[in-house]
Amino acid sequence: MASQSPTQVRVPSRQGGIGSSTSQTATPFWSRTARSAVPVSPSASYSNPAASLERDMQTRGFGHKTWRVREMVLEWLITCVQQYPDFPAARYIANTFTLLDDNHDAVRFAAKRTLNTIYHAHTELQEDIITKAQSITPHRPTLLSAITALPGELSAMPSSPYGGMRSSSR
């Protein structure tokens, strides 16, 4: 037993029966299951954790079936935009606009807060945000004012599901 390599394990053979002394080598469990059953494209490398997180947030977070998860993804985005000036917020604008049509008030309000935060933190994206907001403004007359409002004023607006009682520091 001491002469075995650490990557191989000797297991009893099934062909020899219960009392058989013959054995065969088998690879450890993790080496057999480490390969993904789903093909992964070369651009979707799991060696880059930031790329994996971004992909998961965009595919799983913004489209999650639970409204609280969608709201928390928007809160995560607000935190990233506020704390990291180089955060690539432009990649999330389209998903945030999509959540303006969510069924739950808190998610819609979080989407407005997110767009408001991106609008004030990234001046280079203001034109893109205004253009997209104006394209849907006839359906939502207060959207443009919510996006361009000062950050502290947004929670006091009548469209807030929190009735203006929520602090702007969140």
Side-chain angles (χ1 to χ4, degrees), residues 63-139:
H64 200 274
K65 65 180 180 177
T66 305
W67 69 269
R68 183 64 78 185
V69 173
R70 295 189 303 271
E71 182 188 24
M72 289 297 108
V73 166
L74 292 167
E75 294 293 335
W76 167 81
L77 185 54
I78 289 170
T79 303
C80 289
V81 168
Q82 289 174 340
Q83 293 185 1
Y84 303 103
D86 295 334
F87 185 78
R91 298 177 185 167
Y92 298 94
I93 291 175
N95 288 332
T96 305
F97 270 100
T98 302
L99 289 180
L100 288 171
D101 292 328
D102 197 85
N103 293 334
H104 203 276
D105 290 339
V107 176
R108 289 192 304 268
F109 182 69
K112 288 178 187 176
R113 284 187 61 233
T114 303
L115 290 170
N116 179 277
T117 304
I118 294 171
Y119 179 84
H120 289 292
H122 292 276
T123 55
E124 70 277 5
L125 299 175
Q126 288 180 351
E127 186 177 324
D128 293 337
I129 293 171
I130 294 296
T131 303
K132 289 180 184 180
Q134 285 175 340
S135 68
I136 60 174
T137 297
H139 305 291

